[in-house]
Amino acid sequence: MERIKIAVIGSQDFIQDLHPLEPHMTNIEIEPYTYQDPYLSKELIQHLKPCDAIFFSGALPYYYSKDICDQLSVPSLFLEQDEMAVTSTLLSITYHKKIPIDRISIDLMDAIFTRHVSMDINVSMPGAHVLEYKEQLPYQLDLSSIVQFHYSLHQSGNTDMAITSIHAVYDRLKEMGVPAERMVDPVRSLLNGFQKVKSLALLNKRKASMISAIYLSHDQSRQDYKKWLQSFTHNIQGSGKKIDHHTYLFYSTVGHIESLVSHHNFNDLISNWDGRMKIGFGYGTTAIEAEQNAGIALRFALNDPLGKCGYILTDDKNLLGPYPKETKIQRLKNNDPKLFDIAKEIKISPGNLSKLMEFSRKRSSSQFTAAELSEYLQITRRSTERIIKKLVDHGSIKVVGEEMTYQQGRPRSIYKLHLPY
């Protein structure tokens, strides 16, 4: 089985705790990166060696680095706290230190875990002894305030022990003479976390190697675009062929296409093309499926008012685009059998009905005009009006008013959708 390389970002203590578990991590290679302060994880990300995934020791380093991780082509995950972590820590302290639960202060991302544990074991933990910090992530969190929280409770005689889920807070409390313990990372939680990030890495690698087909349509008859086409082929690391005077078909992989559109390369490429150009990217498990999806994506691009743009239709029928201006997502597939029945009854395609539902959900107002729906569906006004008429006849759309125009002509009808979410 393929070996997965995981960059692990955490404190020195966390990395050391992983060593005994490495023999139990099948086909996983760990590349450790340590920090003294979780905020410094952002700098570590910028110096990562090539890896298949990133695993953070907790929520803090993950959220501090999230804006950079979102730009990377590999998945990232953090070790989540849960009731098992809280229970294991409390059990260790009450057994080894003989300290009652109501004499312990604790900080953690979500206080719901302590409440659940209190209910399960029927032992009360004072709310004033629990500090939740999820609402302060990522940048409003002040570590010194968490240190002060534990310190004040201990100095006032209300607590005998502090539990912290932040390694930097633990180090500071020990320096100040406050008895403290780090939140236990249960072995099962660690192994499950690494198994999950490994699965994400494998899925990401399979997706990146998936076939992508690209249809490129243009309105230029000039013959001096050979250099541009060579540059495009190089950027997608693929191959292509001419279909007719105005259309090309290319083949590449999903990984190369997503790298192209997620950076400035795509914008730079199409800005160097004079005139109109539309591109449809299609993903698929086979070349035929990828071509079919690319053809559908191209039709959306051709109907877009932008002179130069591209759309992506993924293998699971998510339509992304238009690139490079914006990347809204439309769902072109719906597996709800009730919607299939409604679509059959109304005599419109399930795809159009699904997009109509998305249109209704995403709008701040429940009312709309045919022009607004036409723009969203990326089809002609006449086609939109035919769909609306079928829905009006079915009772799924109702006319609720008219919109007066500033030009001559009939007022535009205002509609409201009456379909179940």
Side-chain angles (χ1 to χ4, degrees), residues 125-340:
M125 175 175 284
H129 292 185
V130 179
L131 176 64
E132 175 187 88
Y133 53 77
K134 67 178 179 180
E135 296 300 328
Q136 301 176 46
L137 293 173
Y139 299 114
Q140 288 76 34
L141 185 62
D142 179 10
L143 295 186
S144 62
S145 67
I146 298 179
V147 172
Q148 187 61 40
F149 163 76
H150 291 292
Y151 179 78
S152 297
L153 285 171
H154 183 261
Q155 286 296 102
S156 62
N158 290 311
T159 59
D160 300 319
M161 174 67 68
I163 297 174
T164 177
S165 56
I166 304 170
H167 293 211
V169 171
Y170 170 79
D171 292 338
R172 181 65 183 132
L173 288 173
K174 298 297 285 185
E175 291 173 3
M176 299 171 69
V178 178
E181 294 288 341
R182 293 186 292 114
M183 184 82 74
V184 171
D185 296 321
V187 171
R188 181 183 293 180
S189 297
L190 284 167
L191 292 176
N192 287 346
F194 275 97
Q195 188 59 45
K196 186 174 180 179
V197 76
K198 175 186 172 183
S199 299
L200 289 175
L202 288 169
L203 180 63
N204 186 63
K205 294 181 76 152
R206 284 196 292 269
K207 180 182 176 183
S209 61
M210 187 182 292
I211 300 171
S212 174
I214 306 101
Y215 277 112
L216 186 152
S217 175
H218 66 90
D219 61 358
Q220 297 292 325
S221 57
R222 292 159 55 186
Q223 302 297 315
D224 58 351
Y225 286 104
K226 185 176 181 180
K227 185 176 179 181
W228 188 96
L229 291 170
Q230 287 176 339
S231 178
F232 182 77
T233 305
H234 172 74
N235 273 274
I236 65 171
Q237 293 290 295
S239 60
K241 62 182 179 180
K242 190 173 184 178
I243 304 298
D244 55 43
H245 288 302
H246 299 288
T247 311
Y248 286 85
L249 173 61
F250 299 88
Y251 293 97
S252 182
T253 64
V254 170
H256 286 118
I257 299 307
E258 295 196 342
S259 177
L260 174 72
V261 299
S262 63
H263 298 92
H264 296 299
N265 306 34
F266 185 64
N267 189 33
D268 294 341
L269 271 172
I270 65 173
S271 65
N272 291 328
W273 181 282
D274 296 329
R276 176 179 171 274
M277 179 181 40
K278 303 302 181 84
I279 303 179
F281 301 94
Y283 299 165
T285 54
T286 65
I288 293 176
E289 181 188 5
E291 282 184 35
Q292 289 173 342
N293 288 338
I296 296 170
L298 179 62
R299 289 200 291 273
F300 276 88
L302 291 170
N303 288 326
D304 196 290
L306 290 172
K308 292 182 284 190
C309 68
Y311 278 81
I312 296 174
L313 184 60
T314 67
D315 58 309
D316 53 0
K317 302 303 181 186
N318 281 330
L319 182 72
L320 316 176
Y323 292 94
K325 297 297 183 184
E326 60 177 311
T327 55
K328 64 182 179 183
I329 301 177
Q330 298 180 45
R331 180 75 173 161
L332 303 190
K333 178 181 177 182
N334 198 298
N335 298 320
D336 190 337
K338 291 182 180 179
L339 284 185
F340 276 99

Side-chain angles (χ1 to χ4, degrees), residues 4 18 69 82 97 135 177 211 227 240 244 298 398 410:
I4 297 299
L18 294 181
C69 287
D82 56 16
K97 306 290 185 181
E135 296 300 328
I211 300 171
K227 185 176 179 181
D244 55 43
L298 179 62
K398 293 184 179 180
R410 294 187 306 168

